[in-house]
Structures are given as C-alpha cells and as structure tokens.
C-alpha cells in the first residue's frame, strides 16, 4: 500500500521510484537494432537491486536512494537512441567491430557521453543532487580516498553486467581497480551472499516492473 511504502522508503524516494516506473513505459517502440528493451530494463533493475544490496551490506543509510540511481543510471542512453538513432547505431556497430567501450565511443562520435547527458537530463527534471551525481559518475575512475557512497553505483553496474543481467548496449566489462574492492570492506563470502540475494531480487523486481518489449 502507499502508506506502507511511505513508511518504508520515505516520500522523497517513493516519488523517485514512481518516476522510474513511469520512465520504463515512456521509451516504447525503439527498434531492436538499437536496443532490446527487455534486456535494457533487466540491466537497469539489476543494477538498482545490486546498489541497494551493496549499500545495505556496507552499512550506508538510505539504501533505497541507491536503487533509484541504479535504475536510472543509463537512462540517457535511451535518449540518444531516440534522438540520434543513426549515430547510436554507428556507435554500437563500431564498438562491436573494434571491441571497444560504447561509453568511450560516445565521446568520440558525439562529443559527450550518456553520463554527461544524464546529468543534464536529471538536473532539468529537478532531481535530488545526490541522484544526479551518482548517475553522472557511474563510469568515472574511483580514487583510493573516495567515500564509500561513490563506489556503489559503479560496482553495481559492473556486477549486473558481469553476472549477465540484461544489457544496455555496452559490450566491455568495466575495469575495477583492486583498491575499489578494498574500499568495499566486504569479505568474499559477504560478496557472494550479495550476489545470491541479487538473483532473488532481480526475479522479484521483474515481476513488479513492466518491461516493454
């Protein structure tokens, strides 16, 4: 129920979750040559679920806010697909041919990345600053002295991709430096448990979120 949801996640996060579910239905009809929407939303949902689980395991408060950031981290890629379909198709085909990151080819071909576009998009929607920052930095190099909150979305994105939960179009697994794993402060056993819970979460969330074909 809505009252129970407000108690569990708070009004602010409930609004962001509602926006996320609305966005899922807003990008219908994209050609399969550009993106498989079922795979895209599976990747997005699993990244959000991984972010929530990692935040909880690391003792970070407001774990639901990380779910929303994970859900929306690649939303600007859909904007590129809809507004620049020819450019997007070229980038995707070149990434496959060269075996290079789609993210890097975005800057080469467009002059900007989906991270930067995501920052502008969420800012224009007047989203909370922490959400904008997390979405805008999910591919950024993580320093040794970073805050724990900064590693959640990049690691969640990598885990989702590594475990094969859908795809946003990226073909290269993001590199994670050893100091990032150290900063995570989780044992191998704890990380395995996160992955186990992630599988359950993804199956549950896919039954809640309507993923367009």
């Amino acid at each position: 129920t809505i009252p129970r949801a407000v108690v569990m996640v708070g009004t602010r996060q409930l609004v962001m979750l509602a926006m996320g579910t609305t966005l899922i239905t807003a990008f219908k009809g994209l050609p399969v040559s550009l993106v498989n929407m079922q795979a895209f939303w599976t990747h997005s949902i699993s990244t959000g679920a991984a972010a929530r689980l990692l935040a909880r395991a690391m003792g970070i408060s407001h774990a639901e806010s990380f779910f929303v950031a994970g859900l929306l981290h690649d939303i600007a890629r859909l904007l590129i697909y809809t507004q620049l379909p020819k450019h997007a198709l070229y980038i995707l085909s070149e990434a496959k041919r060269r075996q290079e990151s789609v993210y890097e080819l975005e800057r080469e071909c467009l002059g900007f990345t989906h991270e930067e576009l995501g920052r502008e998009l969420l800012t224009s929607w007047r989203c909370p600053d922490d959400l904008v920052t997390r979405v805008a930095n999910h591919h950024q190099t993580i320093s040794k002295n970073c805050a724990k909150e900064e590693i959640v979305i990049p690691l969640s994105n990598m885990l989702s991709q590594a475990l094969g939960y859908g795809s946003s179009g990226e073909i290269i697994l993001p590199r994670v430096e050893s100091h990032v794993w150290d900063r995570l402060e989780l044992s191998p056993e704890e990380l395995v448990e996160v992955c186990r819970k992630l599988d359950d979460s993804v199956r549950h969330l896919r039954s809640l979120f309507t993923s367009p074909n």
Side-chain angles (χ1 to χ4, degrees):
T1 64
I2 291 178
R4 179 164 172 76
V6 170
V7 170
M8 290 180 66
V9 305
T11 304
R12 176 170 174 263
Q13 295 308 324
L14 188 61
V15 169
M16 300 311 298
L17 284 168
M19 187 184 77
T21 58
T22 300
L23 288 171
I24 285 177
T25 60
F27 288 95
K28 289 184 176 180
L30 283 171
V32 177
S33 59
L34 284 175
V35 60
N36 180 314
M37 291 300 292
Q38 187 76 24
F40 181 92
W41 289 116
T42 297
H43 171 71
S44 300
I45 288 168
S46 60
T47 301
R52 178 170 54 190
L53 288 167
L54 283 176
R56 286 176 177 170
M58 295 165 68
I60 300 172
S61 61
H62 306 298
E64 289 296 336
S65 67
F66 288 90
F67 172 77
V68 178
L71 180 67
L72 299 181
H73 76 287
D74 275 338
I75 191 67
R77 278 193 164 159
L78 294 183
L79 194 58
I80 293 173
Y81 295 153
T82 56
Q83 300 301 311
L84 298 168
K86 292 182 179 179
H87 294 75
L89 186 59
Y90 174 79
I91 289 171
L92 292 171
S93 62
E94 278 295 286
K96 186 175 181 179
R97 184 182 70 83
R98 299 189 203 176
Q99 287 298 294
E100 293 183 9
S101 167
V102 172
Y103 171 75
E104 296 297 336
L105 284 171
E106 286 172 352
R107 182 172 300 284
E108 177 184 323
C109 298
L110 302 175
F112 59 86
T113 68
H114 70 282
E115 273 187 331
E116 294 165 334
L117 183 58
R119 180 192 296 277
E120 296 301 319
L121 183 63
L122 296 185
T123 298
S124 73
W125 289 342
R126 299 182 181 180
C127 292
D129 291 342
D130 56 355
L131 174 62
V132 174
T133 298
R134 289 166 191 164
V135 167
N137 293 323
H138 67 274
H139 281 289
Q140 298 303 303
T141 301
I142 302 171
S143 68
K144 292 183 178 181
N145 300 319
C146 69
K148 290 195 296 184
E149 290 83 356
E150 294 178 44
I151 71 176
V152 174
I153 302 302
L155 275 182
S156 300
N157 181 40
M158 185 280 296
L159 278 178
S160 172
Q161 193 173 340
L163 295 174
Y165 292 114
S167 172
S168 66
E170 189 60 77
I171 62 172
I172 302 296
L173 191 66
R175 179 185 176 92
V176 179
E177 301 292 345
S178 59
H179 68 264
V180 176
W181 295 109
D182 295 337
R183 193 72 183 92
L184 187 61
E185 298 178 357
L186 295 179
S187 68
E189 293 77 16
E190 289 172 318
L191 189 58
V192 168
E193 180 63 11
V194 167
C195 293
R196 185 194 67 77
K197 290 179 178 178
L198 177 59
D199 195 56
D200 292 337
S201 293
V202 170
R203 281 188 277 110
H204 175 64
L205 286 165
R206 286 188 64 182
S207 70
L208 296 177
F209 285 80
T210 303
S211 301
N213 293 319

